[in-house]
Amino acid sequence: MKKIYLSSPILCLLPALAIIPVLTNLILNIHLGGVYLLLDFLKSAITPSTDKLVILSAIKGLGITATIAISSWAISSFTGIIIGIISSNKFWIFLKGPSWLGKSIRRLLAFPRSIHELIWGLLLQSTLGLSPLVAIIAIVIPYSALVARVVADQIDTIDDRSLIALIQAGTKPINALITSIGPAILPTIISYIGYRLECSLRAATILGIFGMGGIGSELELSLRSLEFNEMWTSLWLLIFSIFAIEELLDRFRLWLFTKSSSGRRIIISLILVIIITIMSIILLYIQNQGLFLDIRWNTVKLTDIQKLLIAFNELDWLNLYADTLIMTLLAAGIAIGIPPLTLLILPAEIGGKFLTIIWTFFRAMPIPLTALILLLFTTPSIYVATLALAVQNIGVLGRLLKEGIEQQKNELFHSVTSTGAKMRSAWLYSRLYSESKSYLGFAAYRTDVLLRETAVVGVVGGAGLGWQLQESLSSFDWAQVILIISGYSTLTLIGEAISEYSNNNWINSSNSTPSHHSLQY
Amino acid sequence: MPTMPIRKNLFVSSVFLVGNIFLSTPKVIAEQTFSIGAIPDQNPERLNRLYKLLSEELSEKLEVKVRYVPVINYTAAVTAFRTGNLDLVWFGGLTGVQARLQKPGAKVIAQRDIDSKFTSVLIANKSSGIPTIKNIKDLKLLKGKRFTFGSESSTSGRLMPQYYLEKANVTINSFKGKRPGFSGSHDATLALVQSGSYEAGALNEQVWKANLSRKRVDLSKVKVIWRTPPYANYHWLAQSNLDKRFGKGFTSKLKTVLVGFSSKSPRQKEIMKLFGAKKFVPANANQYVEIELIGRKLGKIK
């Protein structure tokens, strides 16, 4: 048993070794011309442009991004809940319908979920043309499927004794389902949906960087023309808004769950969501008159088998898959290992505060933007892409780990320190130990997300399936596009299956109660 | 359970709202707007200035409402032409061919006087030690250097430079890091090479000259090392249905107006200055056969 006790905190730290090859490669490729640019870039952080036009266009950009984010979030939440209910086993069991229906809906949902919103965006842009509506639909497709999965899981895993009791007492099955399951799962689902708002904002920003308008476009254009002062104006605005949303959502969760009157609070928050959604859709309409007017359906000529075969032979599958996997694994290693490592090195109060700020910053940085900035002083490579991916995920996993540790009771830590252990080893074997199993479980989910996200950096780092997809799209080679997307989808589905398997192993072996964090994958 | 009806209401009301917006669009479509666009090959503020003037001029001469729709990258410009979001687009050689292949019947309207014999320049940062190249074979000196192209779909910033580099056995995998950079635009390539972020790069000679005359090039830091042989590049491409939508003879009127731009009108003079040329001349699709061949060879046209 002792061996197992030792292994899980070490398992959290070991993946950090991935930073060695990545940093070595980057440092070896740093060049002087780029160092000056980097200094210039950093200096501009304290002197963002205060030009009225720049500020106004940054605010306008943020407005567009925020409205895209809120509308797509709201739509995906509602469709997600509905699809989630009808894809749960319980729904069909109590409706006395065929249970395979729920299962097959769930299987089908794996496909939209396995493809990153950016890929949906690039595809939809090719068929629907230029319109912010494309960005909304691109986010809604995978997000609905993600929400649906969580909702279905929640419905199927909760205790259903009261439900059975109600049905036996003669209540109509559907009413029984709503009254018994609703209150039990709503808090978790609302909490998860709240978190999706943060994700939506990030997604809308990334879509902007790839040409779908808003603050992402502002950032991309100013960075591309090396106008760092202007870029920082937009970047600070984005960082503060992401920070504000995170804070608001944290307070909202506290407000929602601390008092016994949470039933009423759930209703109030639902009404609030309705108002925000309607306002955002109206706002989007006002901001962009051409929004719905520009939508045109254009079919892409679907390719024949022969073209698919040619395309299949043209693609260097081995390298594409290898690059994609290496990026994913290295980035996952860094993102999993660095947060506990830095907490271990800086366990003091000040260190913790410092890390919170850094991690907030990391979370707010759009991944392709990080990659473009790294490219200023180093050469394009798979390592640039890897580090850019890792940076944001260090922010995500760091916050998760720190909040998990902060919620712990102090007894174990005190009992370990009272044995005379040094602070750091005490931290390692009490704080990190208690958290490590669930942390590794979340980390497995996160690796899944990382695999999907390689699509975003592949383009910039010039590596992997993401890069090839962009190249094929710009050559309008639909046969290749179809193959790459299927290839991507297969890969992420396999990844999902593996991480689910390992996650079940970790979660089941720990006794931690599931918190809302466990759903943040 | 009191929450369910609310959720139902919300669903109904949001469906209603979205439906309403869709239904209200035909009113706007009714007034025909002539949408023009361009591949974003230069800094956006310059493009905005240029196309605002051009929209005003075309609107006056053609007596239709003209709208300039900016797009963020080359592929998006082609897509917007294919989906019909844009009626007239200023394309590069490669993007123009891509667009015509996807929209058969689209018409090549005109090009600038400089476009039938267009050239690209390779530039290098002076601290890189790359010498001026006299013989095309010496392009091999660029092997192992940090090298950036412009956009992936740029004719003068990627296609033709890559074509000539390959003649000297320099492929896109020969550069440092086994891959080139793609800066996105000609202005960005200049900025990145001048700053030393890349040791060398390829860009459109007209943009290079324009930056020289605006004193945005620091000749103590960056120099031209090679010039490509001439090829046909940029052109105006129009949708085939313009006569149907804007009245008989609209396409030929458009051609006449563009080709008729002269320095007598101050606005036309300013537009041509921003285009970096003296005038527009008639052009035809045959001029781009070579570009299409090279595009196919390098896999950018399928």
Side-chain angles (χ1 to χ4, degrees):
Chain A
M1 278 308 273
K2 204 171 182 189
K3 242 184 190 167
I4 295 166
Y5 280 167
L6 283 174
S7 68
S8 64
I10 301 295
L11 264 178
C12 292
L13 292 169
L14 264 185
L17 285 175
I19 194 122
I20 296 171
V22 173
L23 274 190
T24 319
N25 267 287
L26 285 181
I27 289 168
L28 285 178
N29 282 318
I30 284 182
H31 47 81
L32 202 62
V35 172
Y36 291 128
L37 265 186
L38 179 68
L39 290 178
D40 218 25
F41 169 79
L42 293 175
K43 254 188 270 167
S44 308
I46 36 174
T47 55
S49 170
T50 49
D51 186 88
K52 211 175 140 195
L53 279 176
V54 174
I55 295 176
L56 277 179
S57 84
I59 291 174
K60 196 175 161 221
L62 183 68
I64 294 172
T65 302
T67 40
I68 289 174
I70 293 169
S71 336
S72 51
W73 164 73
I75 298 169
S76 61
S77 304
F78 288 106
T79 45
I81 289 173
I82 292 161
I83 301 172
I85 292 171
I86 61 168
S87 66
S88 66
N89 292 334
K90 278 207 184 106
F91 177 77
W92 292 103
I93 291 170
F94 288 100
L95 226 60
K96 299 215 164 70
S99 66
W100 55 265
L101 251 170
K103 242 178 230 152
S104 23
I105 296 174
R106 244 198 274 201
R107 290 261 157 78
L108 281 178
L109 285 178
F111 175 70
R113 211 175 49 220
S114 71
I115 291 171
H116 193 272
E117 55 269 19
L118 174 63
I119 299 185
W120 282 117
L122 292 173
L123 276 180
L124 288 168
Q125 207 181 27
S126 304
T127 46
L128 295 179
L130 307 172
S131 159
L133 198 60
V134 165
I136 296 180
I137 304 171
I139 299 175
V140 165
I141 295 172
Y143 279 29
S144 302
L146 280 164
V147 173
R149 181 192 187 185
V150 170
V151 170
D153 281 353
Q154 285 292 312
I155 293 175
D156 284 343
T157 50
I158 58 144
D159 185 9
D160 51 7
R161 272 170 296 187
S162 63
L163 178 62
I164 294 164
L166 276 172
I167 294 201
Q168 280 167 352
T171 319
K172 271 189 186 163
I174 190 79
N175 290 345
L177 198 68
I178 292 164
T179 29
S180 78
I181 293 187
I185 62 167
L186 268 183
T188 321
I189 288 178
I190 287 180
S191 181
Y192 177 69
I193 283 175
Y195 162 72
R196 296 312 306 174
L197 181 59
E198 279 175 59
C199 301
S200 271
L201 189 60
R202 287 196 198 108
T205 309
I206 287 183
L207 287 168
I209 292 178
F210 286 87
M212 280 160 252
I215 201 158
S217 300
E218 300 285 328
L219 283 167
E220 209 261 349
L221 289 173
S222 47
L223 181 64
R224 287 279 194 189
S225 41
L226 305 186
E227 301 285 353
F228 296 142
N229 297 317
E230 292 178 15
M231 199 205 93
W232 275 102
T233 310
S234 302
L235 193 54
W236 281 123
L237 199 62
L238 179 69
I239 291 171
F240 284 127
S241 22
I242 286 194
F243 178 71
I245 283 203
E246 284 183 356
E247 278 294 296
L248 270 174
L249 286 173
D250 276 349
R251 303 240 161 120
F252 168 74
R253 274 183 209 114
L254 273 178
W255 175 81
L256 196 60
F257 300 128
T258 38
K259 284 253 174 80
S260 54
S261 59
S262 69
R264 184 177 297 159
R265 293 191 166 181
I266 288 173
I267 299 172
I268 295 173
S269 49
L270 279 173
I271 294 172
L272 214 68
V273 168
I274 298 172
I275 294 169
I276 294 173
T277 309
I278 293 175
M279 268 171 43
S280 80
I281 293 180
I282 293 172
L283 216 73
L284 193 63
Y285 189 58
I286 294 168
Q287 274 172 348
N288 191 318
Q289 283 298 332
L291 172 57
F292 297 95
L293 146 91
D294 280 344
I295 280 286
R296 285 145 210 256
W297 182 255
N298 271 272
T299 41
V300 169
K301 226 192 265 168
L302 278 181
T303 60
D304 50 64
I305 300 286
Q306 204 189 353
K307 274 190 185 156
L308 283 175
L309 281 175
I310 295 171
F312 186 84
N313 288 326
E314 273 172 353
L315 294 171
D316 184 2
W317 289 102
L318 194 67
N319 267 325
L320 290 177
Y321 269 129
D323 278 355
T324 308
L325 283 176
I326 292 171
M327 269 194 277
T328 309
L329 293 177
L330 286 178
I334 296 171
I336 294 166
I338 293 296
L341 189 68
T342 41
L343 277 175
L344 178 67
I345 297 167
L346 308 162
E349 270 298 297
I350 303 158
K353 287 231 169 64
F354 172 71
L355 286 175
T356 307
I357 294 170
I358 295 280
W359 287 341
T360 307
F361 193 81
F362 278 10
R363 280 194 304 278
M365 278 300 280
I367 294 171
L369 200 70
T370 315
L372 283 173
I373 292 163
L374 288 172
L375 279 179
L376 291 177
F377 57 91
T378 181
T379 36
S381 73
I382 182 173
Y383 302 103
V384 170
T386 304
L387 193 62
L389 264 181
V391 162
Q392 187 173 77
N393 286 284
I394 287 175
V396 173
L397 283 171
R399 174 192 182 194
L400 214 70
L401 180 65
K402 195 156 176 284
E403 286 181 7
I405 287 175
E406 275 160 8
Q407 281 165 12
Q408 283 172 12
K409 297 188 180 86
N410 284 324
E411 289 135 27
L412 181 61
F413 183 62
H414 289 317
S415 65
V416 176
T417 43
S418 65
T419 62
K422 283 195 181 132
M423 283 300 270
R424 279 185 192 168
S425 47
W427 185 87
L428 188 61
Y429 288 111
S430 61
R431 294 263 147 104
L432 184 59
Y433 165 71
S434 321
E435 199 56 28
S436 58
K437 283 173 183 168
S438 52
Y439 178 68
L440 284 172
F442 312 144
Y445 274 134
R446 204 64 213 171
T447 309
D448 243 31
V449 178
L450 272 164
L451 183 58
R452 263 189 292 253
E453 281 180 341
T454 53
V456 179
V457 281
V459 176
V460 188
L465 288 162
W467 172 76
Q468 184 58 53
L469 181 71
Q470 182 83 344
E471 201 44 33
S472 304
L473 274 171
S474 78
S475 309
F476 302 93
D477 186 336
W478 300 113
Q480 282 189 2
V481 170
I482 290 169
L483 285 177
I484 293 163
I485 289 174
S486 330
Y488 230 124
S489 184
T490 318
L491 196 62
T492 45
L493 288 177
I494 295 171
E496 203 170 86
I498 294 173
S499 79
E500 216 159 78
Y501 172 78
S502 59
N503 194 48
N504 283 341
N505 280 357
W506 285 113
I507 295 279
N508 289 343
S509 61
S510 75
N511 297 319
S512 66
T513 46
S515 67
H516 68 270
H517 287 308
S518 63
L519 296 168
Q520 297 194 354
Y521 52 83
Chain B
M1 191 58 213
T3 59
M4 204 55 196
I6 288 167
R7 259 192 285 158
K8 253 189 217 158
N9 276 345
L10 175 67
F11 181 65
V12 171
S13 64
S14 62
V15 166
F16 182 69
L17 186 79
V18 171
N20 254 351
I21 291 168
F22 274 113
L23 288 175
S24 62
T25 50
K27 269 177 270 161
V28 198
I29 287 175
E31 55 179 90
Q32 285 280 9
T33 306
F34 186 58
S35 300
I36 63 171
I39 49 168
D41 60 341
Q42 297 172 60
N43 282 345
E45 59 275 25
R46 190 176 164 80
L47 294 179
N48 283 334
R49 200 147 49 95
L50 167 57
Y51 286 96
K52 189 173 165 279
L53 280 177
L54 184 66
S55 304
E56 288 168 8
E57 183 69 22
L58 288 180
S59 177
E60 211 177 286
K61 290 279 177 318
L62 299 167
E63 292 159 339
V64 287
K65 203 175 151 201
V66 179
R67 183 174 65 134
Y68 166 57
V69 184
V71 292
I72 204 168
N73 57 47
Y74 286 40
T75 313
V78 177
T79 300
F81 187 79
R82 178 165 56 79
T83 53
N85 292 98
L86 294 174
D87 297 313
L88 176 72
V89 181
W90 181 241
F91 276 122
L94 174 63
T95 41
V97 174
Q98 286 180 333
R100 264 190 294 129
L101 288 173
Q102 294 181 46
K103 210 70 199 271
K107 293 190 173 70
V108 177
I109 298 287
Q111 60 181 193
R112 295 170 298 190
D113 48 4
I114 56 173
D115 287 315
S116 58
K117 288 196 165 65
F118 205 82
T119 46
S120 304
V121 287
L122 299 191
I123 57 169
N125 188 291
K126 284 201 169 166
S127 64
S128 70
I130 302 171
T132 306
I133 287 164
K134 302 225 165 60
N135 186 325
I136 188 170
K137 292 266 172 331
D138 291 337
L139 285 175
K140 65 173 187 285
L141 292 171
L142 290 168
K143 282 188 179 176
K145 300 289 182 190
R146 294 194 307 276
F147 188 91
T148 185
F149 290 117
S151 156
E152 293 97 340
S153 311
S154 170
T155 309
S156 50
R158 176 197 180 165
L159 190 77
M160 296 312 288
Q162 185 184 340
Y163 175 68
Y164 287 111
L165 282 165
E166 289 197 355
K167 286 197 163 178
N169 282 327
V170 183
T171 67
I172 53 171
N173 300 321
S174 311
F175 303 114
K176 185 152 193 212
K178 295 223 164 84
R179 34 176 87 72
F182 287 104
S183 71
S185 79
H186 301 289
D187 283 330
T189 301
L190 174 59
L192 288 170
V193 175
Q194 183 160 300
S195 69
S197 187
Y198 283 92
E199 288 168 295
L203 77 152
N204 166 332
E205 181 156 22
Q206 181 259 320
V207 175
W208 165 259
K209 281 182 177 159
N211 277 292
L212 270 181
S213 69
R214 273 181 291 154
K215 309 233 178 324
R216 291 192 55 168
V217 180
D218 184 347
L219 285 170
S220 69
K221 288 188 178 150
V222 63
K223 61 173 181 181
V224 171
I225 53 166
W226 194 66
R227 180 173 285 105
T228 63
Y231 53 88
N233 199 1
Y234 292 85
H235 53 283
W236 286 111
L237 190 67
Q239 298 281 5
S240 57
N241 63 357
L242 296 183
D243 289 7
K244 217 181 281 167
R245 287 176 47 219
F246 297 97
K248 220 176 158 195
F250 185 87
T251 313
S252 59
K253 194 175 169 194
L254 171 67
K255 197 171 196 166
T256 317
V257 168
L258 283 170
V259 172
F261 277 12
S262 78
S263 54
K264 280 177 203 143
S265 143
R267 187 157 61 193
Q268 290 174 2
K269 189 181 171 188
E270 180 65 18
I271 291 170
M272 289 322 296
K273 199 180 142 202
L274 286 166
F275 263 109
K278 294 216 166 52
K279 58 180 184 197
F280 287 119
V281 294
N284 64 70
N286 292 337
Q287 289 174 282
Y288 300 95
V289 173
E290 192 201 2
I291 295 282
E292 184 173 343
L293 280 175
I294 294 173
R296 286 192 193 278
K297 196 170 167 234
L298 299 183
K300 296 308 294 174
I301 296 173
K302 300 285 171 165

